[in-house]
Amino acid sequence: MDVPHVPVLYEQTLESFNDITDGYIIDCTTGFAGHSSGLISQNKNIKLICNDQDDEALAFSKQRLKEFESRVIFNKGNFEHVLNKFKDYNIKGILADIGVSSLQLDKLQRGFGFESDTLDMRMDQTQTLDASVVVNNYSQEDLENIFKEYGEVREYKKVASLIVNNRPFNSAKELAEFLSKKMHKGKIHPATLPFQAIRIEVNDELGVLRRLFESIEQIKPKDCIIAIISFHSLEDRIVKKFFKKWTKSCICPSEAFKCTCGNNHALGKIITKKPITPSKDEIKQNPRSRSSKLRIFKFD
């Protein structure tokens, strides 16, 4: 089977789940089943819940994991809901490889790439909101906000103004070429951060990530490994914030004179004091891995 995707931080991710000997591991973002195929081969007694909101990704993964079909449950849906759906299962591991997949980036008709003739960017193609709606219908103020908050674009006001005064845009290619002509050229393509912001808005990526963490916190899966791969600082901040929160033993208000909460609220420990990042060799083989970070938490 031709597998057109190299999973990032592959060996490091498998190692983080190496000691799990029973129960289920949830792969929240299965994609081409790169990590999933390694996990189910490595851990002979575990089962997988393979989740993705992309029908094409799930169809591919079902074929790739066919020899393990008795040990795999496939689930279509946004990963913010997956833990609540399977909360009664013996969950011993949760993996989330956050962000856009190679399947989505490489298929021009999905509208993520600079050369695409569409303007879409939906991870779930059944949803209504797409990039065309954001680019061509959002107010200038709303565009400024998403470029500032989700893209950390320095010239967010200028980008929003340029788009509003020159729309409609009918394709990602048209928008990328326009921004390339109008914006300062640095180390990265001028459309990179605006495209990131539009994609995050379309898919509510940061909100979905927060809600995944909130569901984990509510359920508190015992003796469970949480491994999160992020690709930009906005995602990584959310991961760090929740992991730090989960290690706090005292949850009294900061202004409290003394502890009255019992000082026993820590949910587990952070396994990775610093994030695991790709080697130079991996970045050379797979340039898309260059910004990836793996952080791991272990619930008691």
Side-chain angles (χ1 to χ4, degrees):
M1 188 175 189
D2 184 25
V3 181
H5 172 59
V6 179
V8 301
L9 298 167
Y10 178 73
E11 297 295 340
Q12 299 93 323
T13 300
L14 295 194
E15 185 179 351
S16 68
F17 294 103
N18 193 44
D19 294 333
I20 297 178
T21 57
D22 65 347
Y24 286 83
I25 296 176
I26 300 177
D27 187 344
C28 294
T29 49
T30 298
F32 282 125
H35 290 115
S36 284
S37 61
L39 287 170
I40 202 161
S41 298
Q42 167 186 275
N43 302 53
K44 303 297 183 181
N45 296 315
I46 63 98
K47 295 181 179 180
L48 284 181
I49 296 168
C50 289
N51 179 81
D52 210 291
Q53 60 184 326
D54 191 304
D55 289 310
E56 191 173 357
L58 283 176
F60 186 96
S61 295
K62 286 178 182 178
Q63 287 300 312
R64 185 173 184 181
L65 300 176
K66 193 169 182 61
E67 65 177 293
F68 304 106
E69 60 185 357
S70 64
R71 295 166 56 199
V72 183
I73 298 171
F74 291 95
N75 184 67
K76 162 73 187 295
N78 196 301
F79 64 71
E80 68 175 292
H81 304 299
V82 67
L83 192 59
N84 283 320
K85 182 172 182 177
F86 294 98
K87 62 184 178 182
D88 294 328
Y89 287 62
N90 181 24
I91 306 300
K92 290 300 182 70
I94 299 171
L95 168 65
D97 182 352
I98 307 301
V100 64
S101 73
S102 290
L103 178 152
Q104 294 153 347
L105 283 172
D106 292 338
K107 296 203 75 170
L108 293 182
Q109 59 265 43
R110 299 297 297 269
F112 288 90
F114 296 153
E115 297 298 318
S116 177
D117 289 328
T118 63
L119 190 54
D120 193 325
M121 300 192 191
R122 291 174 297 171
M123 294 178 182
D124 179 355
Q125 292 188 296
T126 65
Q127 74 176 43
T128 303
L129 181 64
D130 64 14
S132 179
V133 173
V134 173
V135 170
N136 294 317
N137 296 95
Y138 272 31
S139 69
Q140 182 167 329
E141 182 181 3
D142 286 341
L143 287 174
E144 287 177 5
N145 287 336
I146 70 167
F147 290 143
K148 181 181 179 182
E149 298 300 324
Y150 298 161
E152 299 181 305
V153 179
R154 288 185 179 182
E155 297 180 288
Y156 62 92
K157 289 181 179 290
K158 179 181 177 180
V159 177
S161 176
L162 283 169
I163 289 175
V164 168
N165 290 314
N166 290 276
R167 61 192 186 188
F169 293 91
N170 298 309
S171 70
K173 183 176 182 179
E174 183 184 356
L175 179 58
E177 289 178 349
F178 173 77
L179 293 175
S180 183
K181 293 175 183 176
K182 297 293 184 178
M183 302 301 296
H184 172 73
K185 292 180 175 60
K187 293 182 179 180
I188 60 175
H189 192 291
T192 301
L193 296 179
F195 268 49
Q196 172 185 299
I198 295 165
R199 192 197 79 221
I200 290 173
E201 172 67 14
V202 167
N203 299 288
D204 189 22
E205 293 176 32
L206 302 183
V208 166
L209 181 58
R210 289 189 191 96
R211 291 190 289 276
L212 171 66
F213 275 110
E214 287 166 358
S215 70
I216 295 171
E217 183 176 315
Q218 182 178 26
I219 292 169
K220 301 178 181 65
K222 291 190 177 299
D223 195 29
C224 182
I225 294 287
I226 316 295
I228 309 291
I229 300 172
S230 63
F231 287 84
H232 55 74
S233 59
L234 299 173
E235 297 166 338
D236 191 46
R237 284 175 205 156
I238 294 173
V239 178
K240 288 191 293 184
K241 176 184 175 182
F242 274 93
F243 280 8
K244 184 177 180 181
K245 177 184 178 184
W246 292 346
T247 63
K248 286 188 175 181
S249 185
C250 175
I251 58 172
C252 292
S254 57
E255 65 272 14
F257 180 71
K258 65 177 182 178
C259 176
T260 57
C261 71
N263 198 27
N264 60 352
H265 294 276
L267 301 178
K269 63 181 179 180
I270 297 171
I271 304 300
T272 49
K273 299 302 180 184
K274 291 184 178 180
I276 298 170
T277 55
S279 66
K280 291 181 180 179
D281 285 343
E282 179 174 355
I283 294 172
K284 185 177 180 179
Q285 294 174 12
N286 181 14
R288 287 177 182 167
S289 71
R290 64 184 178 274
S291 63
S292 60
K293 294 180 178 179
L294 170 63
R295 295 185 185 272
I296 306 165
F297 186 92
K298 174 71 181 296
F299 271 81
D300 292 335

